[in-house]
Amino acid sequence: MKYNQKMNRQILLAFLIFTLFCSQYGSVYAQNKKSEINVQESIKFETDKIFEKLVQIRRELHENPELAGKEKRTQEFIQKYLSDLGFQIETNIYGYGVVGILKGAKKGKKIGWRADMDALPNDFEDKSDFKSKIKGVQHGCGHDVHMAIALGIAEILAKNKQALHGTVYFIFQPEEETFVGAKKFIENQLFAKLKLDEIYALHVTALPAGKIVVKQNEMFAYQTEIGIELKNALSAEEAKELTSKIRHSLVRTHNGSKPWEIQSIVDPQIGITNPNTIFKDYLIADENFRTYTKNGTFHLKGEIYETDSARLKKIIPTVEQVLKDNNYGSQIISVKFIKENPTVLNNPDLTKASINTINSVYGKGFVETDYGQVPYFNDDFAYFQQKIPGVYFLLGGSNFEKGIIAMNHAPNFDVDEECMRTAVRTFSSVLFERGK
């Protein structure tokens, strides 16, 4: 009897200790969850609070564009902004690049966010009230928007530093338009020592403002350029006929679709957000190859966009066969790729995880699926993805009702700045959650 009473007391004591532990653990867990919810609310609130400032930053950058390799003023602007936020700054990786480092108060992963810095060499018509002050140079691709968004995310996360897990690296990369900057960053040992776990980026597009789309694997078509050299010169008529035959042998579309009509990417019926999009499984070739004669030999060059990496190896043999079939076989000096840029290739697992993260905070379906591969455009962010698991998003910047069309590299390119609010809020949440 005494033995049983003793046992009962021990069991009761153990139960009380267990109950107390569970209560305390549950309280801590609840507090942590509440803290995380509060951070997400803070992200939304602080984004709205700094939004007008970000608009002014974007316009300041738009008025003062700099070409690839000349981003000195831009670097100084970014460096000061991040320094004022208390960031650790690194500027010795490549060119006028800047890396702003934000260390959270809690342990976690190393996450990168890339924003490109350079502008375009053109004088397209610009209807904005904050036109470029630099003749022949414009932010006609949205890099000014990208930088403003990145600075916004940096400020939001800095305000939540005590709750932030891990370290976030804000990479402001020069020389994207020349497809040089990212490759140079990756090659630098200082960058390699950062050992990032994940990296993210976005690009503003002609989709409706605030729309975010993404897909696993290839976001763009593979961008290549073919070069043909023949022993003897060709007349203009012969060159035109040969070009036509080469294009006819290469171009691939479905049911008479025209994936070269880039404006159709926003079409709800055939654009990239429709499963029946025309922007998949195609090959586009320049309609007019560039031709010239040098030192007595004939040169023909043309850009080609192929969605299927496995088919790239068939392009050169196909062109060679066309030359032979049209009695140019004996004149061939060379047929080769003279440009083979890698394409943006989203890590499948990380893409799923980032979509789930956004959906968990902002609701299922907040991010739309991209079913196609955009032609003509590409991004050297692909080089980062070769070394680090990465995801690249497309951000809509058009407002058709207001006549704002964010078609990159086109006259009157403009962006509905409201899209920046969506991007800062959304991707601040992503970086905060992914750092855990």
Side-chain angles (χ1 to χ4, degrees), residues 205-208 257-273 277-279 282 284 373-377 398 400 404-411:
T205 71
L207 294 166
S257 64
K258 300 177 181 179
W260 49 84
E261 295 183 348
I262 185 67
Q263 68 274 14
S264 295
I265 64 170
V266 304
D267 190 304
Q269 301 303 317
I270 60 175
I272 60 174
T273 58
T277 181
I278 64 172
F279 294 100
Y282 64 79
I284 296 173
Q373 290 168 243
V374 178
Y376 303 123
F377 298 110
S398 296
F400 304 116
I404 296 173
I405 310 297
M407 181 57 75
N408 317 87
H409 294 230

Side-chain angles (χ1 to χ4, degrees), residues 277-296:
T277 181
I278 64 172
F279 294 100
K280 60 183 177 183
D281 191 18
Y282 64 79
L283 185 150
I284 296 173
D286 275 352
E287 185 172 351
N288 297 303
F289 284 17
R290 299 179 302 286
T291 61
Y292 62 93
T293 300
K294 183 178 180 181
N295 299 326

